Amino acid sequence: MTTSPQAIRTAVFSRSWHGVDEQEVRALLDRLATEAEDCQAERASLRAETDGLREEVERLRREPDDDRVRQEISARAVELLSRAQQAADDAVAEAEQYARDLVMTAREQYRDVLHRAQEAASQAASDVPAPDGAAAPGYVRPVPEVEYVRTYARVAQVQLRSVLDALTAEVDKLGDLPHLGGAAARRAPAGEPAASSTPVAVWLPDFADVPGQSGGTPADR
Amino acid sequence: MDVQALKDTWAEVATSGDEVPHFFYSHLFLSHPETRDLFPVSMSSQRDKLVGALGRVVSNVDQLEEVVPYLQQLGRDHRRFDAVADHYPAVGASLLATLAHFLGPAWTPAVAADWAAAYGVIATVMVEAAEESEATTPASWTAEVVSLDRRSLDVAVLQLRPTERLPFRPGQSVALEIPSRPRLWRYYSPANAPRRDGTLELHVQLVPGGQVSTSVLRTLRTGDAVRLGAAVGDQLVLPEDERPDLLLVAGGTGLAPMRAVVEQLAAERRDSGDGPRVHLFHGARMPWNLYEHDLLQRLAADQPWFEYSEVVSDDPSHPGARGLVGDAAAASGAWQGRTTMVCGTEAMVEHTVGALTAAGAPPGTVRYEQFTTVLSGPTADEHREAGVAP
């Protein structure tokens, strides 16, 4: 049983001979009472703080995720991962740019080759003297020259296609590099090509004889 | 919710530029490593999308009814990325951590509470829209490659058979994912009107350096399984109740949606004996990329209502019309009294619309798909590769 500050402050003593100075006793009691009050206040606030902390501990124990994770992921880790991702992105972008440049160059060369061949052919054609000076329209070009140009165009097309294929193979390798978790598992196996069954082209019923996926080889046009 | 505080703090965060999405995604992947598999290897196009979408939502958060359709579309579209309701709290936590990081002392408890509330609204709308569409639509369709016809160096025509019927209207687009490029979705337009057997025809043009188009042309094989998303887009779709005369202007494989529309009109004409007049312009860099030449020439010869014009831009020796298809279409005057639909690369569409407007075509009559505003996410960058923007 503790004595309250109030009890200390108002304590009453019985009188006796040779007693001490009452003023001094009162002063001491007052000081003691004030100290006791301070102690009580401090104890109450400490108890409240302890309760709060105990709740916090309980809460953190119950939800290990979210808040705690948020604090645990240090800015440094985030920074590191960001830099790694940026490096990966740059590598992919660079490869794309490289592939783009190669294809553009190949296209230009293809066009130039065709252009030169056509010029050479028409030059050769105009060099051939027409019999009796009167050329029949539509037959000015000697057949071998036309054939030469056509072959040239086909060879160029085949070469360009193989360049593109080689390029894609390189790009494929790039795409295959980073395997993250189940990325590999998700990839469907190439498998055997299923028996090819072309869908009936419903395209334009009025023109049922027009196969939807026809289309001449461009070089033939 | 203090709307102004949201806008102000977002504007403050946005000044950090690319660092913001970097931090967000790194934080997300560190706290929930399983989410990494939902994204492609290269995150560069992803970053712009996040910032763009968030910026759009936040700047309109006081007109929620305007943002809601966008969020619903976003939620439905995320189903094909395998995003599930469980992922939303993870994303929210990382978003708040990102904002806290970049706002520093400005990240007060009041601001934090506002952002948490705002994210709660966003996530709820998205999840509800996703769950609603779950009842009627699959998250994605699996389709078998029935055939792959390489028409030229640059163009391939794919025939796909979805295992479940994929509903679409002529002129719409679907997202495509091929097995060798997981998580890289590209939009292509079916080039056919819906068929009885449900098959789709896609036109794929090689984009130099493009990861997906290059892989489609080279590695995709008959029998491969690809994934498709739900059909989107409305600008190249004919209105339900109206059949105006049409001018169609296509660049490269931008021809695909136009062909689908022509096919629809041909079928309607067969059934009703009537229909609008159509003039189709097809432009390509080189003559061999006019890959439907034979079919369309024959159609034009047989059908008085259909006209077909070809334009080649990059081959000086081409005997036919040369130049940019937009200029040719504008000069033809065929836009007079017709609705015009344009599809091609971003540059082609921009030029064509400009040329038509300069020639005097009333702006309201020229339609084209702006994929940067289709909120489902594809960015302009992504569409460089898409069939709708070859």
Short mmCIF file of all heavy atoms in Angstrom, two decimals, chain A residues 92-138:
data_model
loop_
_atom_site.label_atom_id
_atom_site.label_comp_id
_atom_site.label_asym_id
_atom_site.label_seq_id
_atom_site.Cartn_x
_atom_site.Cartn_y
_atom_site.Cartn_z
N VAL A 92 19.17 -4.85 -75.11
CA VAL A 92 18.13 -5.23 -76.06
C VAL A 92 17.92 -4.13 -77.10
O VAL A 92 17.84 -4.40 -78.30
CB VAL A 92 16.80 -5.53 -75.33
CG1 VAL A 92 15.67 -5.71 -76.33
CG2 VAL A 92 16.94 -6.77 -74.46
N ALA A 93 17.89 -2.88 -76.62
CA ALA A 93 17.67 -1.76 -77.55
C ALA A 93 18.80 -1.67 -78.55
O ALA A 93 18.59 -1.42 -79.74
CB ALA A 93 17.54 -0.46 -76.75
N GLU A 94 20.02 -1.90 -78.06
CA GLU A 94 21.18 -1.83 -78.95
C GLU A 94 21.10 -2.92 -80.02
O GLU A 94 21.37 -2.68 -81.20
CB GLU A 94 22.45 -2.01 -78.11
CG GLU A 94 23.67 -1.40 -78.74
CD GLU A 94 24.84 -1.46 -77.78
OE1 GLU A 94 24.71 -0.93 -76.65
OE2 GLU A 94 25.85 -2.07 -78.14
N ALA A 95 20.72 -4.12 -79.59
CA ALA A 95 20.58 -5.22 -80.54
C ALA A 95 19.50 -4.90 -81.57
O ALA A 95 19.67 -5.16 -82.77
CB ALA A 95 20.24 -6.51 -79.81
N GLU A 96 18.41 -4.31 -81.11
CA GLU A 96 17.34 -3.94 -82.04
C GLU A 96 17.83 -2.92 -83.05
O GLU A 96 17.56 -3.01 -84.25
CB GLU A 96 16.14 -3.37 -81.27
CG GLU A 96 15.25 -4.43 -80.68
CD GLU A 96 14.01 -3.83 -80.02
OE1 GLU A 96 13.82 -2.59 -80.11
OE2 GLU A 96 13.25 -4.60 -79.42
N GLN A 97 18.56 -1.94 -82.55
CA GLN A 97 19.08 -0.90 -83.44
C GLN A 97 20.02 -1.50 -84.47
O GLN A 97 19.97 -1.18 -85.66
CB GLN A 97 19.80 0.16 -82.60
CG GLN A 97 20.31 1.35 -83.41
CD GLN A 97 19.18 2.07 -84.13
OE1 GLN A 97 18.13 2.34 -83.55
NE2 GLN A 97 19.35 2.34 -85.41
N TYR A 98 20.87 -2.41 -84.02
CA TYR A 98 21.82 -3.07 -84.91
C TYR A 98 21.07 -3.83 -85.99
O TYR A 98 21.36 -3.72 -87.19
CB TYR A 98 22.70 -4.00 -84.08
CG TYR A 98 23.72 -4.77 -84.88
CD1 TYR A 98 24.72 -4.10 -85.58
CD2 TYR A 98 23.68 -6.16 -84.93
CE1 TYR A 98 25.66 -4.81 -86.31
CE2 TYR A 98 24.61 -6.87 -85.66
CZ TYR A 98 25.60 -6.20 -86.35
OH TYR A 98 26.51 -6.90 -87.07
N ALA A 99 20.08 -4.59 -85.57
CA ALA A 99 19.30 -5.37 -86.53
C ALA A 99 18.58 -4.45 -87.51
O ALA A 99 18.53 -4.71 -88.71
CB ALA A 99 18.28 -6.24 -85.78
N ARG A 100 18.08 -3.35 -86.99
CA ARG A 100 17.36 -2.39 -87.83
C ARG A 100 18.31 -1.83 -88.90
O ARG A 100 17.99 -1.81 -90.09
CB ARG A 100 16.82 -1.26 -86.95
CG ARG A 100 15.82 -0.37 -87.64
CD ARG A 100 15.25 0.62 -86.64
NE ARG A 100 14.62 -0.07 -85.53
CZ ARG A 100 14.63 0.34 -84.27
NH1 ARG A 100 15.27 1.45 -83.95
NH2 ARG A 100 14.04 -0.35 -83.33
N ASP A 101 19.49 -1.42 -88.45
CA ASP A 101 20.46 -0.85 -89.40
C ASP A 101 20.81 -1.86 -90.48
O ASP A 101 20.88 -1.52 -91.66
CB ASP A 101 21.73 -0.43 -88.66
CG ASP A 101 21.48 0.78 -87.77
OD1 ASP A 101 20.39 1.37 -87.89
OD2 ASP A 101 22.36 1.11 -86.96
N LEU A 102 21.04 -3.10 -90.07
CA LEU A 102 21.42 -4.13 -91.05
C LEU A 102 20.31 -4.33 -92.08
O LEU A 102 20.58 -4.40 -93.28
CB LEU A 102 21.70 -5.45 -90.33
CG LEU A 102 23.10 -5.60 -89.75
CD1 LEU A 102 23.22 -6.95 -89.07
CD2 LEU A 102 24.15 -5.48 -90.85
N VAL A 103 19.09 -4.42 -91.60
CA VAL A 103 17.98 -4.66 -92.53
C VAL A 103 17.83 -3.47 -93.48
O VAL A 103 17.65 -3.64 -94.69
CB VAL A 103 16.67 -4.90 -91.77
CG1 VAL A 103 15.50 -4.97 -92.73
CG2 VAL A 103 16.76 -6.19 -90.97
N MET A 104 17.94 -2.27 -92.93
CA MET A 104 17.80 -1.08 -93.79
C MET A 104 18.89 -1.07 -94.85
O MET A 104 18.63 -0.80 -96.02
CB MET A 104 17.89 0.20 -92.95
CG MET A 104 16.79 0.35 -91.90
SD MET A 104 15.14 0.19 -92.55
CE MET A 104 14.79 1.88 -92.93
N THR A 105 20.13 -1.38 -94.43
CA THR A 105 21.23 -1.40 -95.38
C THR A 105 20.98 -2.46 -96.45
O THR A 105 21.17 -2.21 -97.65
CB THR A 105 22.55 -1.72 -94.65
OG1 THR A 105 22.66 -0.83 -93.55
CG2 THR A 105 23.73 -1.52 -95.57
N ALA A 106 20.55 -3.64 -96.00
CA ALA A 106 20.30 -4.72 -96.95
C ALA A 106 19.22 -4.32 -97.94
O ALA A 106 19.33 -4.57 -99.15
CB ALA A 106 19.89 -5.98 -96.19
N ARG A 107 18.17 -3.65 -97.43
CA ARG A 107 17.09 -3.21 -98.32
C ARG A 107 17.61 -2.25 -99.37
O ARG A 107 17.27 -2.33 -100.54
CB ARG A 107 16.00 -2.52 -97.50
CG ARG A 107 14.94 -3.44 -97.01
CD ARG A 107 13.87 -2.65 -96.32
NE ARG A 107 12.84 -3.52 -95.76
CZ ARG A 107 11.93 -3.12 -94.89
NH1 ARG A 107 11.95 -1.88 -94.47
NH2 ARG A 107 11.03 -3.96 -94.43
N GLU A 108 18.43 -1.30 -98.92
CA GLU A 108 18.96 -0.31 -99.85
C GLU A 108 19.80 -0.97 -100.93
O GLU A 108 19.68 -0.67 -102.11
CB GLU A 108 19.81 0.71 -99.10
CG GLU A 108 19.04 1.96 -98.75
CD GLU A 108 19.79 2.81 -97.75
OE1 GLU A 108 21.02 3.00 -97.93
OE2 GLU A 108 19.16 3.26 -96.77
N GLN A 109 20.66 -1.91 -100.48
CA GLN A 109 21.52 -2.58 -101.45
C GLN A 109 20.68 -3.37 -102.45
O GLN A 109 20.95 -3.37 -103.65
CB GLN A 109 22.49 -3.51 -100.73
CG GLN A 109 23.61 -2.72 -100.06
CD GLN A 109 24.56 -3.62 -99.30
OE1 GLN A 109 24.33 -4.82 -99.22
NE2 GLN A 109 25.59 -3.04 -98.73
N TYR A 110 19.67 -4.02 -101.95
CA TYR A 110 18.78 -4.80 -102.80
C TYR A 110 18.18 -3.90 -103.87
O TYR A 110 18.15 -4.22 -105.05
CB TYR A 110 17.70 -5.39 -101.89
CG TYR A 110 16.66 -6.26 -102.56
CD1 TYR A 110 16.98 -7.04 -103.66
CD2 TYR A 110 15.37 -6.32 -102.04
CE1 TYR A 110 16.03 -7.85 -104.24
CE2 TYR A 110 14.43 -7.13 -102.62
CZ TYR A 110 14.74 -7.89 -103.72
OH TYR A 110 13.81 -8.69 -104.29
N ARG A 111 17.73 -2.73 -103.42
CA ARG A 111 17.09 -1.81 -104.35
C ARG A 111 18.09 -1.31 -105.39
O ARG A 111 17.81 -1.26 -106.57
CB ARG A 111 16.51 -0.64 -103.56
CG ARG A 111 15.40 0.07 -104.27
CD ARG A 111 14.68 0.98 -103.32
NE ARG A 111 15.61 1.85 -102.61
CZ ARG A 111 15.36 2.42 -101.44
NH1 ARG A 111 14.23 2.16 -100.83
NH2 ARG A 111 16.23 3.22 -100.88
N ASP A 112 19.31 -0.98 -104.90
CA ASP A 112 20.33 -0.49 -105.83
C ASP A 112 20.68 -1.54 -106.87
O ASP A 112 20.81 -1.24 -108.05
CB ASP A 112 21.59 -0.11 -105.05
CG ASP A 112 21.38 1.19 -104.29
OD1 ASP A 112 20.32 1.81 -104.49
OD2 ASP A 112 22.26 1.55 -103.49
N VAL A 113 20.84 -2.77 -106.41
CA VAL A 113 21.21 -3.85 -107.32
C VAL A 113 20.15 -4.00 -108.40
O VAL A 113 20.45 -4.08 -109.59
CB VAL A 113 21.36 -5.17 -106.53
CG1 VAL A 113 21.35 -6.36 -107.47
CG2 VAL A 113 22.64 -5.16 -105.71
N LEU A 114 18.90 -4.00 -107.96
CA LEU A 114 17.80 -4.12 -108.93
C LEU A 114 17.82 -2.96 -109.92
O LEU A 114 17.67 -3.14 -111.12
CB LEU A 114 16.46 -4.13 -108.20
CG LEU A 114 15.93 -5.48 -107.77
CD1 LEU A 114 14.59 -5.29 -107.10
CD2 LEU A 114 15.79 -6.39 -108.98
N HIS A 115 18.02 -1.77 -109.37
CA HIS A 115 18.00 -0.57 -110.18
C HIS A 115 19.10 -0.64 -111.24
O HIS A 115 18.87 -0.39 -112.42
CB HIS A 115 18.19 0.64 -109.27
CG HIS A 115 17.97 1.94 -109.98
ND1 HIS A 115 16.78 2.25 -110.59
CD2 HIS A 115 18.81 2.99 -110.19
CE1 HIS A 115 16.89 3.45 -111.14
NE2 HIS A 115 18.10 3.92 -110.92
N ARG A 116 20.31 -1.02 -110.78
CA ARG A 116 21.44 -1.11 -111.73
C ARG A 116 21.15 -2.14 -112.80
O ARG A 116 21.43 -1.93 -113.98
CB ARG A 116 22.72 -1.47 -110.96
CG ARG A 116 23.41 -0.26 -110.36
CD ARG A 116 24.91 -0.49 -110.22
NE ARG A 116 25.23 -1.66 -109.40
CZ ARG A 116 25.26 -1.62 -108.06
NH1 ARG A 116 24.98 -0.50 -107.43
NH2 ARG A 116 25.56 -2.70 -107.39
N ALA A 117 20.61 -3.25 -112.39
CA ALA A 117 20.32 -4.32 -113.34
C ALA A 117 19.31 -3.84 -114.38
O ALA A 117 19.47 -4.10 -115.58
CB ALA A 117 19.78 -5.54 -112.61
N GLN A 118 18.30 -3.11 -113.90
CA GLN A 118 17.29 -2.63 -114.85
C GLN A 118 17.91 -1.64 -115.84
O GLN A 118 17.64 -1.68 -117.03
CB GLN A 118 16.15 -1.95 -114.08
CG GLN A 118 15.11 -2.95 -113.60
CD GLN A 118 14.19 -2.35 -112.56
OE1 GLN A 118 14.50 -1.32 -111.95
NE2 GLN A 118 13.08 -3.03 -112.32
N GLU A 119 18.79 -0.78 -115.31
CA GLU A 119 19.44 0.19 -116.20
C GLU A 119 20.30 -0.50 -117.23
O GLU A 119 20.28 -0.17 -118.41
CB GLU A 119 20.28 1.17 -115.38
CG GLU A 119 19.43 2.28 -114.80
CD GLU A 119 20.27 3.36 -114.15
OE1 GLU A 119 21.47 3.09 -113.89
OE2 GLU A 119 19.73 4.44 -113.91
N ALA A 120 21.07 -1.49 -116.73
CA ALA A 120 21.94 -2.22 -117.63
C ALA A 120 21.12 -2.89 -118.72
O ALA A 120 21.50 -2.89 -119.90
CB ALA A 120 22.74 -3.27 -116.86
N ALA A 121 19.99 -3.43 -118.34
CA ALA A 121 19.14 -4.13 -119.30
C ALA A 121 18.59 -3.17 -120.35
O ALA A 121 18.63 -3.46 -121.55
CB ALA A 121 17.99 -4.81 -118.56
N SER A 122 18.12 -2.01 -119.89
CA SER A 122 17.54 -1.10 -120.89
C SER A 122 18.63 -0.52 -121.77
O SER A 122 18.42 -0.26 -122.96
CB SER A 122 16.73 0.00 -120.20
OG SER A 122 17.57 0.73 -119.35
N GLN A 123 19.83 -0.35 -121.17
CA GLN A 123 20.97 0.13 -121.96
C GLN A 123 21.27 -0.89 -123.05
O GLN A 123 21.39 -0.56 -124.24
CB GLN A 123 22.19 0.32 -121.05
CG GLN A 123 23.43 0.83 -121.74
CD GLN A 123 23.19 2.23 -122.34
OE1 GLN A 123 22.53 3.07 -121.73
NE2 GLN A 123 23.68 2.46 -123.56
N ALA A 124 21.37 -2.15 -122.62
CA ALA A 124 21.68 -3.22 -123.56
C ALA A 124 20.59 -3.29 -124.63
O ALA A 124 20.88 -3.51 -125.82
CB ALA A 124 21.78 -4.56 -122.83
N ALA A 125 19.37 -3.09 -124.22
CA ALA A 125 18.27 -3.18 -125.17
C ALA A 125 18.36 -2.09 -126.23
O ALA A 125 18.17 -2.33 -127.42
CB ALA A 125 16.94 -3.08 -124.43
N SER A 126 18.72 -0.88 -125.77
CA SER A 126 18.76 0.20 -126.74
C SER A 126 19.99 0.08 -127.65
O SER A 126 20.04 0.67 -128.71
CB SER A 126 18.75 1.55 -126.02
OG SER A 126 19.92 1.65 -125.23
N ASP A 127 20.99 -0.70 -127.17
CA ASP A 127 22.18 -0.88 -127.99
C ASP A 127 21.94 -1.85 -129.14
O ASP A 127 22.67 -1.85 -130.12
CB ASP A 127 23.34 -1.42 -127.13
CG ASP A 127 23.91 -0.31 -126.26
OD1 ASP A 127 23.50 0.85 -126.47
OD2 ASP A 127 24.71 -0.62 -125.36
N VAL A 128 20.95 -2.69 -129.00
CA VAL A 128 20.68 -3.67 -130.05
C VAL A 128 20.01 -2.96 -131.23
O VAL A 128 18.95 -2.38 -131.06
CB VAL A 128 19.77 -4.80 -129.53
CG1 VAL A 128 19.41 -5.76 -130.65
CG2 VAL A 128 20.46 -5.54 -128.40
N PRO A 129 20.64 -2.98 -132.39
CA PRO A 129 20.01 -2.30 -133.53
C PRO A 129 18.76 -3.04 -133.96
O PRO A 129 18.74 -4.26 -134.08
CB PRO A 129 21.08 -2.37 -134.62
CG PRO A 129 21.99 -3.49 -134.22
CD PRO A 129 21.90 -3.65 -132.75
N ALA A 130 17.70 -2.31 -134.10
CA ALA A 130 16.46 -2.92 -134.55
C ALA A 130 16.60 -3.35 -136.00
O ALA A 130 17.20 -2.64 -136.80
CB ALA A 130 15.31 -1.94 -134.41
N PRO A 131 16.08 -4.51 -136.35
CA PRO A 131 16.19 -4.97 -137.73
C PRO A 131 15.48 -4.00 -138.67
O PRO A 131 14.35 -3.58 -138.39
CB PRO A 131 15.49 -6.34 -137.71
CG PRO A 131 14.69 -6.37 -136.45
CD PRO A 131 15.37 -5.45 -135.50
N ASP A 132 16.19 -3.61 -139.73
CA ASP A 132 15.66 -2.68 -140.73
C ASP A 132 15.28 -1.34 -140.10
O ASP A 132 14.51 -0.58 -140.68
CB ASP A 132 14.43 -3.25 -141.45
CG ASP A 132 14.75 -4.60 -142.06
OD1 ASP A 132 15.94 -4.80 -142.39
OD2 ASP A 132 13.84 -5.43 -142.12
N GLY A 133 15.82 -1.06 -138.91
CA GLY A 133 15.58 0.24 -138.29
C GLY A 133 14.18 0.41 -137.76
O GLY A 133 13.84 1.44 -137.22
N ALA A 134 13.32 -0.57 -137.85
CA ALA A 134 11.95 -0.43 -137.35
C ALA A 134 11.70 -1.48 -136.28
O ALA A 134 11.51 -2.65 -136.60
CB ALA A 134 10.94 -0.59 -138.48
N ALA A 135 11.75 -1.05 -135.04
CA ALA A 135 11.55 -2.00 -133.95
C ALA A 135 10.07 -2.25 -133.73
O ALA A 135 9.27 -1.31 -133.73
CB ALA A 135 12.17 -1.47 -132.66
N ALA A 136 9.74 -3.50 -133.56
CA ALA A 136 8.34 -3.79 -133.22
C ALA A 136 8.13 -3.43 -131.76
O ALA A 136 8.90 -3.83 -130.91
CB ALA A 136 8.05 -5.27 -133.44
N PRO A 137 7.11 -2.65 -131.44
CA PRO A 137 6.91 -2.25 -130.05
C PRO A 137 6.65 -3.47 -129.17
O PRO A 137 5.96 -4.39 -129.58
CB PRO A 137 5.67 -1.35 -130.12
CG PRO A 137 5.19 -1.38 -131.53
CD PRO A 137 6.11 -2.19 -132.36
N GLY A 138 7.26 -3.43 -128.00
CA GLY A 138 7.06 -4.56 -127.08
C GLY A 138 8.09 -5.65 -127.26
O GLY A 138 8.19 -6.56 -126.45
#
